[in-house]
């Protein structure tokens, strides 16, 4: 599944998440997939839950972290792609007009 910077994603309905000591644990209750996010991944997770596009998340992260924009874009896209493959995130469906 290809995710672009203009896309928005949402948490899969079967997923619960808990933040513990600055890191986040994700669990898909349906599939049993378990995933841990470090502090940077946790920040991405928090921003994605605010209904931001991946590009918006990248802009916030560039302001907050000392990393080049292209590196953040690549890393965020890779993380989101992996979370979608593991059915922890899914593309947000836009309402039909």
């Amino acid at each position: 599944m290809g995710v672009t910077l203009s896309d928005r994603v949402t948490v899969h309905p079967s997923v619960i998440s808990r933040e513990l000591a600055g890191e986040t644990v994700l669990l898909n209750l349906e599939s049993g997939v378990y995933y841990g996010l470090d502090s940077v991944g946790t920040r991405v997770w928090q921003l994605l839950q605010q209904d931001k596009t991946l590009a918006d998340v990248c802009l916030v992260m560039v302001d907050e972290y000392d990393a080049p924009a292209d590196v953040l874009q690549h890393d965020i896209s890779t993380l989101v792609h992996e979370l979608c493959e593991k059915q922890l995130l899914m593309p947000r469906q836009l309402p039909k007009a």
Side-chain angles (χ1 to χ4, degrees):
M1 179 197 127
V3 179
T4 67
L5 291 175
S6 63
D7 289 335
R8 286 180 166 83
V9 292
T10 189
V11 177
H12 189 282
S14 298
V15 170
I16 59 170
S17 64
R18 294 291 179 265
E19 191 173 329
L20 306 165
E23 298 184 348
T24 299
V25 176
L26 311 174
L27 174 63
N28 183 317
L29 297 171
E30 191 175 285
S31 68
V33 170
Y34 168 88
Y35 199 91
L37 298 172
D38 64 12
S39 60
V40 177
T42 293
R43 183 62 178 138
V44 172
W45 182 259
Q46 292 166 344
L47 292 168
L48 290 172
Q49 291 186 75
Q50 296 175 15
D51 195 32
K52 295 183 180 298
T53 65
L54 271 61
D56 293 336
V57 171
C58 290
L59 288 173
V60 171
M61 298 289 286
V62 165
D63 284 341
E64 293 180 359
Y65 292 88
D66 185 25
D70 60 329
V71 172
L72 283 170
Q73 288 174 354
H74 175 267
D75 291 351
I76 291 168
S77 294
T78 300
L79 175 62
V80 169
H81 178 76
E82 189 172 335
L83 293 176
C84 285
E85 280 188 337
K86 294 183 180 299
Q87 296 182 327
L88 298 166
L89 287 175
M90 53 192 253
R92 185 173 155 264
Q93 299 296 322
L94 297 175
K96 295 185 181 190

